Amino acid sequence: IVIREGGAARAAATATNAANIAGAPLNVGAEEVNQQQQGFKRDADEYMPIANITRILRRVLPTHAKIADDAKEAIQECVSEFISFITAEANRRCRRDYRRTVTPEDVLAAMASLGFGDYLESLTVFLNNHRTQQDPERGSRNQISQSVRRDGGIEVGFLHHHQPQGAPTVRPPPPPPLAASTMGYYVPLPPPVAATMEDEEEFGGLPKVTNEFGGGEEFDPFQ
Amino acid sequence: MRQPGAYSKLLSGGVSGKTGPHSLPLARIKKIMKKSSEDVKMISGEAPIVFSKACELFVEELTKRAWLITLQGKRRTMQKDDVASAVITTDIFDFLVNLVVEDRNNSTAAVAANKLG
């Protein structure tokens, strides 16, 4: 298991604290002071804000429950690790299928194959609602379906709605079937959307490909 | 980062506009996703949105399990060790074991991990 940067930063901060307690030289370098500050203020790039996490855990605990600060911090670290863990698997799927964009479907399929299948139902509903709200017309056509196969595996794919008569978009041929996937889960590739893709300029810097099986809407909320 | 637009009221209801329509900051989720491995290139805009919900579910599950352990110890304050024990006793949280158990010689969690591992 790879040791994450978060853990390393924490260990460094602890070491610095220990050194200070033991009466280390007074001229602490600026870098060490910085690390100490980062150790105390953990809303750094690598974690979810503690306030958000606290709000979530308060929702499931009784009102009288108390939570130690280091327990909250432990949960904070676990969340980041969870994101990394799932993303690494989702990215692996992309690479395997020669795709460059990690899609929500990849994330859902990764969760299913890593044991978090229980989350799929809520997430599917959540994502479908989001798509419908973002773009009522196209969103309601781009819905995720989730069904349990005969062999008990979970299948995450697209509901194929028929296009209305006279629609201007041309239906491209269906994509080739995927190679054998892990643990029997399979995510069929959706047909490429005719609309323009948002440029993910931050990432990659590769030339824009017009026939990308990017999956669903390329909606970028970060612009 | 885009400010929440008119649609955010539909999605969020009572959630404060500070973090946008989702309860976890999407840009930060995206950063963590990018860091997960060297070759993560492009991320669909919706992937962090899925994670914002998935992380909620994850926190809820981890918290509930940890709290059960707190209760077993007849305590009202959830400690870090309770979180560690929840991780150790849940199969799908195996990927977190090395994160929560720092010192295998001390702490209740380490003792439990040693017994199971």
Side-chain angles (χ1 to χ4, degrees), chain A residues 43 45 47 52 59 65-66 68 87 91 95 100-102 111 119 131 133 200 203 219 221-223, chain B residues 2 11 23 26 28 30 34 36 39 41-46 54 56 58 61 67 76-78:
Chain A
D43 289 2
D45 283 359
Y47 298 123
N52 299 51
R59 286 208 294 253
K66 294 190 185 0
T87 302
N91 189 50
R95 296 265 129 192
R100 270 186 291 118
T101 306
V102 176
M111 284 189 197
Y119 295 1
R131 282 184 171 167
Q133 278 176 334
E200 296 272 0
F203 307 96
F219 158 72
F222 308 114
Q223 285 184 354
Chain B
R2 180 196 274 181
L11 283 175
S23 60
L26 298 176
R28 204 172 293 184
K30 205 170 193 182
K34 269 298 282 177
S36 70
D39 61 350
K41 289 271 185 309
M42 294 172 70
I43 299 174
S44 153
E46 290 180 302
E56 277 184 33
F58 173 77
E61 181 172 5
W67 181 248
R76 284 188 170 194
T77 305
M78 184 192 297

Side-chain angles (χ1 to χ4, degrees), chain B residues 17-116:
Chain B
K18 257 208 280 191
T19 50
H22 312 98
S23 60
L24 292 175
L26 298 176
R28 204 172 293 184
I29 292 176
K30 205 170 193 182
K31 264 192 199 142
I32 298 172
M33 288 179 74
K34 269 298 282 177
K35 273 170 56 171
S36 70
S37 49
E38 281 306 308
D39 61 350
V40 174
K41 289 271 185 309
M42 294 172 70
I43 299 174
S44 153
E46 290 180 302
I49 289 169
V50 171
F51 266 120
S52 75
K53 182 69 178 170
C55 289
E56 277 184 33
L57 298 174
F58 173 77
V59 170
E60 287 176 359
E61 181 172 5
L62 180 55
T63 302
K64 285 190 245 185
R65 289 175 181 273
W67 181 248
L68 281 178
I69 293 167
T70 311
L71 290 178
Q72 278 169 19
K74 298 200 179 8
R75 288 174 282 110
R76 284 188 170 194
T77 305
M78 184 192 297
Q79 302 290 348
K80 183 176 169 182
D81 271 0
D82 299 329
V83 177
S85 298
V87 162
I88 288 157
T89 54
T90 310
D91 281 348
I92 59 172
F93 292 165
D94 275 356
F95 67 98
L96 294 167
V97 166
N98 284 349
L99 196 61
V100 298
V101 178
E102 300 153 47
D103 180 3
R104 289 190 85 93
N105 291 324
N106 286 325
S107 94
T108 344
V111 173
N114 278 328
K115 279 192 189 146
L116 287 174

Side-chain angles (χ1 to χ4, degrees), chain A residues 77-153:
Chain A
E77 290 170 33
C78 289
V79 173
S80 295
E81 192 66 21
F82 172 70
I83 295 172
S84 294
F85 182 56
I86 302 291
T87 302
E89 170 65 15
N91 189 50
R92 202 188 59 78
R93 288 172 171 265
C94 273
R95 296 265 129 192
R96 179 198 66 191
D97 300 339
Y98 304 104
R99 286 179 290 113
R100 270 186 291 118
T101 306
V102 176
T103 67
E105 290 75 23
D106 292 323
V107 173
L108 292 175
M111 284 189 197
S113 69
L114 291 172
F116 292 92
D118 285 348
Y119 295 1
L120 282 203
E121 204 174 312
S122 303
L123 292 176
T124 306
V125 169
F126 179 78
L127 186 58
N128 284 339
N129 283 346
H130 175 267
R131 282 184 171 167
T132 306
Q133 278 176 334
Q134 289 304 113
D135 184 339
E137 205 184 284
R138 193 180 283 132
S140 56
R141 278 187 274 125
N142 256 348
Q143 300 280 288
I144 303 263
S145 78
Q146 180 210 310
S147 52
V148 182
R149 291 202 305 238
R150 260 173 280 130
D151 62 0

